[in-house]
Amino acid sequence: FQDPAMTAFVCVCIPEFLSIYETERLVQELSKFGIDSHNIVVNQVLFPEKDAEELGEWYDSSKDALPKEAREICGKMMARKRMQDKYIGQCFDLYGDDFHVVLMPLLDHEVRGVEKLKDFSELLINPIDLEE
C-alpha cells in the first residue's frame, strides 16, 4: 500500500467543518504510514463555478421580485454557500499546490445506474475550471 505507483488513497469530504477536520486527520495518519493521499474530492458543493459574493449580488438584486417562500429558500442557500466557500477556502489553504483537490457539485439526483455514474465520473476526470 505504500508504493504510490501502485496505490493511492482518494479522500472524499464535504465542505463542512467536521468533514474537513476529519479529512486532515486522515491525511496525516495515512502519511505516517507512507500512503499516498494527494487526491481530495470535495463533494456536494453548491454551484462550485460561482462564489458566494457573485451569487449574493444576484440575490440582492432579485430578492424583492421573489415570493416570500423563494426568498426564504434562497436565503438558506446563500447561508450554506457562504459556509461552504469558507471551508473550501480552508481546504485549498491546507493543501495548496501539494494536493489535487476536485470540487464536485451538489446534484439534484442520486448517482445510480451506469449512465449517471458515467456522467459523475466525467466530472471527476474533467472538473469544473474555477479560473473561468
Side-chain angles (χ1 to χ4, degrees), residues 9-20:
F9 192 96
V10 178
C11 300
V12 179
C13 62
I14 58 174
E16 295 183 3
F17 170 78
L18 187 57
S19 185
I20 299 292

Side-chain angles (χ1 to χ4, degrees), residues 110-125:
E110 287 187 81
V111 180
R112 297 185 71 171
V114 175
E115 286 308 309
K116 288 184 180 175
L117 190 56
K118 284 180 182 178
D119 293 343
F120 188 78
S121 65
E122 183 66 30
L123 291 170
L124 280 171
I125 294 168

